[in-house]
Each structure stands twice: as structure tokens, then as C-alpha cells.
Amino acid sequence: MNVLILGVDGYLGWPLAQWLAAAGHTVCGVDNFLRRKAVQEMGSISAIPIADWADRASAFEACYSRPITFYETSLLDYERLVAILGEMVPDAIVHLGEIPSAAYSMRDAEHAALTQHNNVIGSLNLLWAMRAACPDAHLLKLGTMGEYGTPNIAIPEGFFEVEFRGRKDILPFPRQAGSIYHLSKVHDSHNALFAAKTWGLRITDVMQGVVYGTRTDRTPPDERFATRLDFDECFGTAINRFVCQAVIDCPLTIYGSGSQTRGFLPLSDSLRCLELALLNPPNRGEYRVFNQFEYTYSISALADVVKQEATALGMPAQIEHLANPRSECEEHFYQPDREHLVRLGYEPHDHLTQVVRGMLEDVRVHRSRIEPYAQNMRPSIQWS
Ligand code: USQ
């Protein structure tokens, strides 16, 4: 399969390129290095050193005996995008090329607009470019479980049956996003559904939970294949941050009570699920939604696991409950489905403890690299 990865230089994109190449697929990629610049803008770094793109590309070619075709461009450049799709004629496009941070989008008006413009217009350009250049390709687009919010009923996969005043229909499940970033993903989802219905594009929209981890089952033993691991308040996600905090002996920052619950999945599972979706494409005109996570956990439960594993490795971690900088429900019902991927062969296992231990081992060798950035562990962006 010829797969184009948008956002190939990112936390998921780079290991996905390796994952697919190891399975024999041809991989090409697009990136504008916005993530590298945004983490720099936060005054932070990746906890694990990452190679620049030229070194990544030469490691890729040496390992898989074929080059990775790469284009440096933003999805906001529509003409360039059409030209790339016309040249590559991909069988599938994995769209990871967005600003992924809720906190970044809540910094101020400028970052809110930047996030929505980049994500919504970039994705809209992609839909139009696919229509023009490769209407038969499969778009595998990354959405987020956060699009649904935390409703007081179970969360189906994208659609549910509704009976209202004696009539029934299958309708999109309500989206109640909790940040400007999550709203950008909601807007993307609506546009994607429209494009499938109107232009006959084939689209899988993955509502992914929070991903954690430093490596995958298919990461070659060469540091140029390492993916980034962020810990700043915008680009570091809960478990990744807790691991980095434990390594430099900073308290693990639970926002509020820690009872808030989300779906989480290790990096390997994320890539395995994306591969399953690629191997089982939807029909022309079909827009399908997969909820993608391994298990749900409360933030407190996660912090306890990191504390326990860090302590076992000789790094006694402390937990601190901070006033929650976000406007989010802390005590809530949470029961999302995730059956579609299981039907395609995904086997969720509880890997949390094992993966956290591996992460702590991978990160602790970089302790002195992270320590000067300890101030990046504290949140400062207020939702309200
Ligand atoms: N949290 C803490 N302490 C921290 C960091 C986070 O208690 O130091 C809490 C937050 O309050 C929140 C939960 O952990 O309740 C998750 O926060 P997060 O920063 O790990 O993740 P989130 O902002 O939801 O966004 C991340 C990714 C995003 C993806 C999303 C999936 O950045 O790209 O879409 O996870 S989901 O959460 O399912 O929407």
C-alpha cells in the first residue's frame, strides 16, 4: 500500500512511518515542523532527543532499503497539496497534521485562532485536494475522544439511533468539546462527513484517546528512530508528563480531584489500530467512526501507577493536587464503546504498568537534560 502520512515528523507520525515500512508498505510524508517550533515557543524541549529530518530520512532509507519521499509544506498551501496528491496518488492518507493541544488553544485569542485556522482550514483543503487529485484514496483522519465530552450516557462510535416524537433515525452523536482545540476536531469531523456524503470520499475518523509511550514494538534500535516526548503544559499529555515529572523528582501534577476519566492507549496500540483501519478501508461515500483507546482510567489512578513504578525503580515520586486550570467535569459518568476496532482484530490488554516502567527507564537517562526545564511542569494557562 502507498501511504501518505501528514504530520510525519510528529509524535505519532514518525513511529507510524516505521511501523508501516516494517510491514512492507511504501511511506511518504508531509510536515511543516510546526510541532518542533511550537514546543520551542513554549520554552521547552522533547525529553528524549530527536534527530532532525535529514537524519531521520537517512536512517529510514538505511533500515528499510528504500527512501521516504518527503515534502515540507503546510496543509494551508492548497495548490501544493493538490500537486503532491497528484504526484503520489496514495492509496491512503493518514492525517495527523494538526495542532494537537487543548491548552495551547486556550492560551489567548491568537493561539485559539491559530489552532482553529491551521486545523480546520488545513483539513478542509485536504478534503478538496482529495476530491481533485485522488478521490478513491482512503482518508484515515485523527479525531479525538474529547469531541464527545463527558455526557451522562454511554458514548457510541460516532452515531446512535434516536427516537423522537414517534420517528427514528441514526444521527451523529452530540459533540460537546471542552477546548477550542477539541472544537477544531469537531468542525473537522462535520466537514469530513459532508465530503464523504457529497463527493463519495472514503473516510475513517478515529476518535483517539490520550496516547502514552516512548517506543513501539517495531522501533529499530537506533536513536534516530526515537520519537519526541513532550512534558510542557501544552504538548505534554498526562502520563507522559507524569513520567518526566517523576524522573526529575517534581511532584506529579493532578489537576483538581483527579477523578476525571479518559480513554488511554499505548503508542504501539495506537499504531496497530491505525494499521487495522488502513487494511480494512471503507467503501466510497462511507464515513465511519472508530473510538480508539485501550482502557479508561481516572487521572488519579494513572498518577498512582507512575508513582508506584517510579518508586520501584528508586525514584520516590510525590503527587500534588493543583487547583484545576481547566473547566472540566471532575466527577462524571464515562462509558465509551470501542467495538469497531475489536471487530477488525484489535486485542486490548492492560499494558499500563509495563509501558510506564519502560518509559521511566527510557526517560531517566535524560534526567539532566530535562531538569533545567522543571518550570515547564507547572500549568499556567487558565480555561476561564
Ligand atoms: N491532567 C492532569 N495533570 C496534568 C495534565 C493533564 O491532571 O499534568 C488531566 C487534565 O485535566 C485532563 C486529562 O489529564 O483531565 C487529560 O489531559 P491531557 O493533557 O493528557 O490530554 P488532553 O488535553 O485531553 O489532550 C490530549 C492530546 C490531544 C488528544 C486528546 C485525546 O493532547 O491531542 O486529542 O488527548 S482526549 O483526551 O481523549 O480528547
Side-chain angles (χ1 to χ4, degrees):
M1 200 185 303
N2 188 12
V3 185
L4 174 63
I5 302 174
L6 308 176
V8 71
D9 187 53
Y11 174 57
L12 296 177
W14 181 226
L16 179 64
Q18 300 159 30
W19 187 276
L20 295 177
H25 302 290
T26 302
V27 180
C28 43
V30 164
D31 211 294
N32 62 349
F33 304 120
L34 192 142
R35 173 65 169 269
R36 292 185 189 239
K37 291 170 204 152
V39 172
Q40 219 171 11
E41 179 198 339
M42 295 305 299
S44 193
I45 55 165
S46 164
I48 295 178
I50 51 169
D52 63 22
W53 180 259
D55 286 341
R56 283 183 161 184
S58 47
F60 186 100
E61 185 163 357
C63 180
Y64 303 107
S65 308
R66 55 187 184 280
I68 178 164
T69 309
F70 176 73
Y71 302 89
E72 181 178 346
T73 187
S74 161
L75 304 187
L76 298 176
D77 186 343
Y78 175 71
E79 299 302 332
R80 184 92 200 280
L81 196 52
V82 174
I84 292 168
L85 298 191
E87 199 173 303
M88 298 311 305
V89 199
D91 300 305
I93 299 171
V94 185
H95 181 18
L96 311 171
E98 297 201 319
I99 295 175
S101 169
Y104 191 74
S105 75
M106 299 299 293
R107 283 181 83 180
D108 51 32
E110 186 191 340
H111 289 86
L114 175 65
T115 302
Q116 289 222 347
H117 185 75
N118 182 78
N119 292 0
V120 180
I121 305 305
S123 300
L124 190 60
N125 280 346
L126 175 63
L127 295 170
W128 279 94
M130 286 183 69
R131 177 189 188 223
C134 55
D136 199 39
H138 171 199
L139 172 59
L140 177 53
K141 162 189 163 302
L142 196 69
T144 167
M145 284 299 295
E147 292 183 34
Y148 299 120
T150 50
N152 199 30
I153 56 174
I155 301 175
E157 302 195 57
F159 295 86
F160 70 152
E161 189 180 70
V162 184
E163 186 170 349
F164 183 61
R165 295 184 185 163
R167 296 184 66 83
K168 283 187 188 168
D169 203 349
I170 307 276
L171 294 174
F173 190 74
R175 302 309 207 254
Q176 303 185 83
S179 76
I180 295 290
Y181 152 72
H182 286 97
L183 276 167
S184 75
K185 304 294 258 187
V186 174
H187 303 328
D188 286 347
S189 293
H190 289 313
N191 289 344
L193 171 59
F194 177 84
K197 282 206 302 204
T198 310
W199 303 328
L201 299 187
R202 50 175 103 232
I203 300 178
T204 306
D205 208 349
V206 171
M207 300 298 127
Q208 185 165 253
V210 189
V211 181
Y212 61 95
T214 44
R215 55 180 59 246
T216 77
D217 305 344
R218 299 185 192 167
T219 306
D222 175 331
E223 62 194 21
R224 292 172 299 172
F225 286 105
T227 193
R228 57 180 315 114
L229 189 80
D230 293 304
F231 54 84
D232 64 278
E233 70 167 308
C234 285
F235 294 97
T237 49
I239 304 181
N240 293 355
R241 269 166 66 74
F242 292 162
V243 164
C244 295
Q245 289 165 344
V247 163
I248 64 164
D249 201 15
C250 269
L252 315 191
T253 53
I254 291 182
Y255 298 166
S257 70
S259 307
Q260 58 273 47
T261 300
R262 300 284 182 271
F264 287 83
L265 73 169
L267 188 52
S268 276
D269 282 39
S270 163
L271 306 186
R272 189 169 288 117
C273 288
L274 295 177
E275 185 185 23
L276 279 171
L278 289 172
L279 294 173
N280 297 277
N283 297 320
R284 284 294 300 263
E286 185 182 351
Y287 169 85
R288 63 182 185 181
V289 177
F290 292 172
N291 292 350
Q292 180 169 310
F293 58 93
E294 186 186 46
Y295 287 107
T296 61
Y297 302 94
S298 71
I299 299 302
S300 285
L302 296 174
D304 286 344
V305 169
V306 175
K307 179 179 166 148
Q308 167 200 303
E309 291 308 305
T311 305
L313 289 171
M315 296 179 279
Q318 302 303 318
I319 289 177
E320 188 179 347
H321 286 261
L322 304 178
N324 198 334
R326 306 185 177 195
S327 299
E328 61 182 355
C329 236
E330 292 177 14
E331 312 292 330
H332 61 90
F333 178 78
Y334 199 59
Q335 194 182 297
D337 295 346
R338 56 135 164 70
E339 289 313 308
H340 292 174
L341 279 160
V342 171
R343 264 184 242 138
L344 293 182
Y346 174 46
E347 293 174 16
H349 297 291
D350 192 344
H351 290 110
L352 179 65
T353 307
Q354 179 196 337
V355 176
V356 164
R357 193 175 311 138
M359 291 174 71
L360 286 161
E361 282 164 352
D362 283 347
V363 175
R364 77 166 158 184
V365 295
H366 301 296
R367 183 189 167 117
S368 58
R369 174 182 164 85
I370 308 167
E371 268 170 344
Y373 297 88
Q375 80 281 0
N376 290 73
M377 300 300 181
R378 312 297 290 184
S380 63
I381 299 163
Q382 300 292 327
W383 253 233
S384 55

